[in-house]
Amino acid sequence: MPNNPETVLDARALDRTLRRMADQIVELNSGTDGLVLVGIQRRGVQLAERIVKIIAGAEGATIPCGALDITLYRDDLQTVGPRPVVGATHLPWTLDDQHVVIVDDVLYTGRTVRAALDELADFGRPARIALAVLIDRGGRELPIHADVVGRKVDVAPGKRVDVFIVELDGRDEVVIASRTSGE
Amino acid sequence: MARDLLLRGGRIVDPSQSLDAVGDVLIRDGIVEACGGSINAPDGAEVIDCAGHVVAPGMIDVHVHLREPGREDVETVATGAHSAAAGGFTAVCAMPNTRPVTDNQATVGFVKRQGEAAGFARVYPYGAISVSQKGETLAELGEMVGAGAVAFSDDGRPVESAHLMRTALEYARAFNVPIAEHCEDMSLARGGSMNEGLMSAKLGLKGIPAEAEEIYVIRDILLARRTGGHIHLCHLSTKGSVELVRWGKERGVNVTAEVCSHHISLTEQAVDGYNTNAKMNPPLRTQVDIDALQEGLADGTIDLLVTDHAPHHYDEKEREFADAPNGIVGLETALGINCTYLLHRGVLTMSQMVDAMSCKPARVFHLPGGSLARGSIADVSVFDPMRKWIVDASRFKSKGRNTPYGGHEFTGQARITIVGGRVVYRADS
Amino acid sequence: MAGSLGKDLLGLADLSAAQIRLVLDTAVPFREISERQIKKVPTLRGMTIVNLFFEPSTRTRISFEFAEKRLSADTVNVAVAGSSVSKGETLVDTARNLEAMKIDMVVVRHPASGAARFLAERIESNVINAGDGTHEHPTQGLLDLLTLRDKFGDLAGKRICICGDVLHSRVARSNIWGLTKLGAEVGVCGPRSLLPNAIGEMGVTVFDRIEDAIQWADALNILRLQLERMQGGYIPSLREYNRVFGVTRARLEAAPRDLLILHPGPMNRGVEIDSDVADGPHSVILNQVTNGVAVRMAVLYLLAGGRPELAEAAKRGPA
């Protein structure tokens, strides 16, 4: 059974996708007023930062960008085994009445977003929360839906989607690989 | 009337006769009739094949705690005497820290009769030095000797008053019995639960420094020198104590000393993890101390091997370390320990080990036995010095299970124990 | 995936440097939670934690309680006066009775060294040692390490001097093990009658005079003079202790560099530490308190749940 990872987005395609997503986010909000981006640890944070730069270039406005670690809100902590590493959460301003856009790399079961919504609720009451994801691979286990999608991909359960970004992995690429090929 | 017994073909080791040779021993009417060479079995005699075994004068443990009267839940004279026999001992001396304290002729007589009724190893009672072991008033030593006491001690405690110890040493001269001291300076030792050193610092336990023992060792040697009395030093545990006894013996002081099997085999490491089954007083010390104690045995500075058999109830030991009582059982592990750590490691020869467990205890405490010469009482220990076995406390004859040696493998085991010509213990295979 | 601490936290002597760093790294995001408006995360929701204190303690117990509640656990405080021997119910029975009420973790403080391990060997719940006799106080050691690391970054080669009654101090022992494992140089300073006799074998530098310690150290961890533990006069008087060994502003002024000042509390002001030092610019005593809650949250998080057998079952898929 061939094990070749299949490239979904290369570096150029990734950049193009992010630009389109940035446009869509601004369009969804009818502008940049009250708009804040919150990236989910880990890669969602870097993607959010890139989108903020793109929006700054296009609209001339730098919108606030925060980071959210959802480890402590996970619903599977009792069964996951050794404790997952807890990353940094950094939301330095109020979320009340803001239009929050959660940014993540891959949307799959929806449980990560559920945890993020619970955690955000402990920080304030935004006027609206939207979801922007680079890859939607289907397979939802909760009624969660993304408002802005970079690329929709059908991925068999035996496979996984790996997002590599320059800031953490040294290259930009999105790849589908089988589950057994390394962790 | 017991049958005649012929012990055939064993290796007879009897230091009292400077004997170490394969041969037979014939026992009649509870007395050794003949020892050595090849002996024809008389009609009706029971023949016990002792090939591959050592046949020695019955071993005597002069330091055990039988807990009766007062703590029969933990041991009785009978269960203790049975435990002794299972360990290869034909006689034990029972310490007087019972409840009530054995400080009078009635209790001494009681303990003696309980031993006789049990019919296992012989039980010789100790009497207390002071009334209720309070260290204030001398007890009626003479009356207790009359009832069967063979020695005196306030063991469990030291005699804190030098004046009282001096008086006891002087007074006991009339009866020709040893005064045995538990050497411990309480002002240094109080609150301590293990040896003072790096391990106690790490575990956060108050330690008992070696000096707590050594201070009383030298004190009592000096008092024995002054009074001419016989001081017997219990359960020595430190290098310094060995050196001080050597000093005393060199100057002709009438001092004898004993060491416990655990103090020549385990260090304070056994306490790691707060193991209350390794907690006793004096505590386990260091390898340096073990080496000095073994050397002391080899050169005769230390005369006797003992166990300080001290049974405790499971509940009492199942406690925070500092609150747990001191003491471990020892009668059924002593021979295994001594063979494994002393005999097979070349620290003592077979003759030396038998001497320390049998002949010398009899001599030092003026007890019958300790010899297989013609006419001796027929107390015999038959053991297999090469037999490997693993300690299983649940199979002890003692009621006590508090041993740090559970699961240890020893080489050397008691197989047949004979008291007064009667087999009182025979090992199952 | 993060490493693990095992079932219990009994002492820093049992932990590797990697495990210690894991706790400190985990404490950092937990510090942030105490700065939120809603100081709560649902991580330990549904878990029951018993604070079993056989010795009176306000600050440690409260710190643990904050940690437990901020993780949404249910907290029960059990204060037992006196040791098991005097009170009649043994330590084991007390714990087993609690366990029969289906609890998840026990935080225990007890006057006997080894009590936490004794408990951990006999019950299935996670056991956290909040101070056992004079043996260890691991969460205090960890929060001291975190406080030092905040200021110094890497602790390798840093000189930390522990001052005072080391003989009776579980905080001192935990600090010695923890600092040594992270590569710091450890010193101790106090009257010899208050240092363990074997201190020379514990890998630390011993200073007989506080002035010498001040010349040498980058930080001082000043221990409370354990009035209640001193049985039988190890030192002549408190006055003499302050005059000879007290950390005073005058003594600190002679220091060649700015020394960080730590104290586990509660302080005997004017005995081991003068007020102007405790409240001075180099004191991080209050940081220690803040870090205490974060470190305890990290420890609870790392010990709780994490049952690998459940993870294995989960991996095998739905039934």
Side-chain angles (χ1 to χ4, degrees), chain C residues 19-93:
Chain C
Q19 284 173 309
I20 292 176
R21 286 194 187 100
L22 172 64
V23 176
L24 301 185
D25 292 341
T26 307
V28 172
F30 280 111
R31 229 184 349 216
E32 177 265 317
I33 292 167
S34 295
E35 270 145 46
R36 299 185 187 182
Q37 206 169 38
I38 296 190
K39 299 174 180 25
K40 220 181 196 9
V41 291
T43 315
L44 296 191
R45 198 165 63 94
M47 293 195 90
T48 307
I49 305 180
V50 175
N51 296 326
L52 188 57
F53 277 58
F54 290 85
E55 266 183 356
S57 156
T58 315
R59 64 181 46 227
T60 302
R61 210 207 71 227
I62 287 180
S63 182
F64 267 106
E65 229 184 302
F66 277 134
E68 292 151 12
K69 290 188 150 102
R70 286 180 185 170
L71 289 168
S72 300
D74 293 326
T75 303
V76 176
N77 290 314
V78 179
V80 182
S83 76
S84 58
V85 176
S86 60
K87 280 295 141 180
E89 186 177 43
T90 66
L91 177 56
V92 184
D93 283 337

Side-chain angles (χ1 to χ4, degrees), chain C residues 48 87 96 110 112 119 136 177 190 199 219 244 294 316:
Chain C
T48 307
K87 280 295 141 180
R96 287 201 173 131
H110 194 284
L119 212 56
E136 285 225 41
W177 313 136
I199 189 74
V244 178
R316 286 195 293 271

